[in-house]
Each structure stands twice: as C-alpha cells, then as structure tokens.
Amino acid sequence: MEESEIDKHKLASFSSDDASVMTGKTNGVAAKLLSEIKSLINARCICNRVALACADACDSVTYLQQVEKILFQLQSFFDNSVKKSAAYAKAVLKVKSLNLSRQGKKKIKTRIQKACRTRWLSTNRAIEGVYEDFEALITVLKSFKEDGDATTTGLLKQIGNNKFLGVVYLLHDVLPVLSHISKVFQEGEILFGCIAPAIEYAFEKLDNIASELKHLSRLKEDIRVNGRLHRCNSLELTTHSKGLITSLSKQYVQALKDNLSNQFDGNLPVLSTFKVFHSMSIPQRNAVGFKTYGVAEVEI
C-alpha cells in the first residue's frame, strides 16, 4: 500500500475470512491495521462464524465431541468397503420394505454422510442418515459382528445406547436451525438489518428445543411397542437416561448460544446499522421520521 502511495488512514473497513493470519488478535492483518486506524470496521465472514460457533460448542460438551468421532468412524467403516456399503443398503431396504430404483439404491449406499470438522454444519447430513436408518445401521453392524469383524463390537457399544441416540435426536432438531441461519447469510444479497434478527430467531428456536424437549418425547415414542425403533430391543428409556439426555440438551444449547454470542460480539451493532442504506427502508420525504432517519445509526 505504501509503494502504491495509498493512504491507509482512509481505509473504512476490512473484510476477511477467519484465518488466523487475518484475524489473529495480536499479529493478524486486521489487528495490525486497527493498531494504526482506530475507526476501522473489521468484518469477518458471517457464515464461517456460525460454523466456528457450532464446532466450539461441540468442543465444550465432552460427549458431543465423542459423538462427532463416532460419526467419523461410521462413515469410514462403510465408505472404505463396497461389501459393507452394499450390506448397509440391503439392510435399509429390508427394514423399510421399499422397492427402490437403482438410483435410489445408490443414494442409500452413501446415506451415512461425512461429517467435516472444518465445515461443521455438514454434520447435519450425517446425523440425518443415522436418525432415519438407525435400525438398519444396528442390524448390519450386528451381522458383521457375527462374522467376526472386531471393529463392529466397539461401534455397537458406542451407538447401541440411549445416550448416543438421544444426542442424535437432539442434533436432528438443532442442526437444521443452525443450517438455516447459515443459508440466510449465504444468499446472493443480504440485508444487514437481517443479521441480528436471524440470530435472535435462532436463539428462540434453540431455547424452545431445550425447554420443550420434543426430541426426548419423540425418542420415547419411537422405542415403545410398535414404534419406529421397537425392534431395537436393547433400547429402554430409564429415568437416569432421561435426565442425562435432558442435561446434555441444556448444556449443548447454552454452549451454542454462548459461542454464537462470542462470535458476533463487538461489531454486530455496527454491521446492523448498514440497514439504513437499504432503499426500501428509507421513509418518504414528507414522512415524520425522514429528517431523523439514520441519525442514530450514523452515530454508532
């Protein structure tokens, strides 16, 4: 910039991804610019912040980290073997008693999706697969255990219990909420005034999940006689397991809210003020509020 004779003190804002070289508190590009330009607005990638908040929330609840590892193991177990993938597809067909097209069968073979740490919301697809086809998953793992596959013993022990299944049901409700706000921020055009309301809406939905515990009621319904998972005989929702799932639900939701707040803390009020530039929100010239429109936002 100096070589090009650009006056850096005229910089108004700096936008970047969340790479540490850009956003590091001490030596990041933004920090170095802010040390000289106090009025600079530093805006990091909004979508990346949501993904980071999800990953950090997972890290702060120990068992959620374990569930993430189990999803990786399940995906690797089936993805690395054509035989195992085919057996899984066959088990799903048997459980659901469906006659699917060849393309449909192909989709089922890859139903256990990869959960990626750097794109944590991809876990939504992995959870959906386990949630929808849990009975088939248990069935095929048991068949491989009978054939002497040692890996399946560990996998069955990890997933064949109410604690794991309860978290799957929890994530099945939570992750779509987080994916929704991420998709809102990935639109071709975004209104700055929508950022704060979108996050507040997500907080409200998360609070409802933690307080109403509909995922727990749905799990109880699914494992009862004639329920969706009634053939998984080892599952029984005891008072202890209910309390455990309830506690994990509240911990995880609170961790999500805390991490989302931390990610957007600081410059969210500034970003929100840019809503005044949206032409549809400007009052008519003869309207009462026209003369004072945007004054408060400009002050911020």
Side-chain angles (χ1 to χ4, degrees), residues 8 107 159 164 178 214 279-280:
K8 57 190 172 189
K107 287 181 180 179
I159 73 171
F164 174 80
L178 302 173
K214 289 183 178 179
S279 58
M280 296 299 291

Side-chain angles (χ1 to χ4, degrees), residues 110-129:
T110 58
R111 189 63 178 272
I112 295 182
Q113 299 289 332
K114 185 175 181 180
C116 180
R117 156 98 344 196
T118 53
R119 296 179 62 84
W120 204 82
L121 290 176
S122 65
T123 306
N124 188 20
R125 295 191 295 273
I127 285 293
E128 184 182 358

